Amino acid sequence: MKTATIKVKGMTCGGCVKSIENALYEQTGIQKVAADLDAGTVAVDFDVNVIQTAAIEQAIEKAGFDIAA
Ligand code: 9UX
């Protein structure tokens, strides 16, 4: 298991948090998602044998948000 903390742009209300959490929980291999609205971060616990950070970031982008560098 690995935890990645991803900086996300455009997360501005609780609905955004839910959108991101729902989009990520749909992915296989993701154990836990904790989006922090104030910090603009999403902490994701995942199984590196099933999913990688790039795919997680793609899922966030597909949900309509941008990844901050
Ligand atoms: Mo809130 Mo976010 O009205 O995509 S849901 S800004």
Side-chain angles (χ1 to χ4, degrees):
M1 200 65 52
K2 179 180 171 170
T3 302
T5 302
I6 300 165
K7 285 185 191 165
V8 178
K9 285 192 278 189
M11 208 170 43
T12 52
C13 85
C16 298
V17 168
K18 273 286 155 219
S19 298
I20 289 174
E21 289 180 348
N22 290 342
L24 292 182
Y25 278 124
E26 281 175 10
Q27 310 296 312
T28 310
I30 291 183
Q31 246 67 45
K32 187 171 178 246
V33 182
D36 185 323
L37 187 57
D38 293 330
T41 56
V42 180
V44 187
D45 294 353
F46 60 101
D47 183 341
V48 291
N49 297 309
V50 181
I51 193 166
Q52 286 75 44
T53 308
I56 295 169
E57 291 183 348
Q58 275 173 22
I60 292 172
E61 287 175 335
K62 206 177 156 199
F65 300 90
D66 291 323
I67 304 304

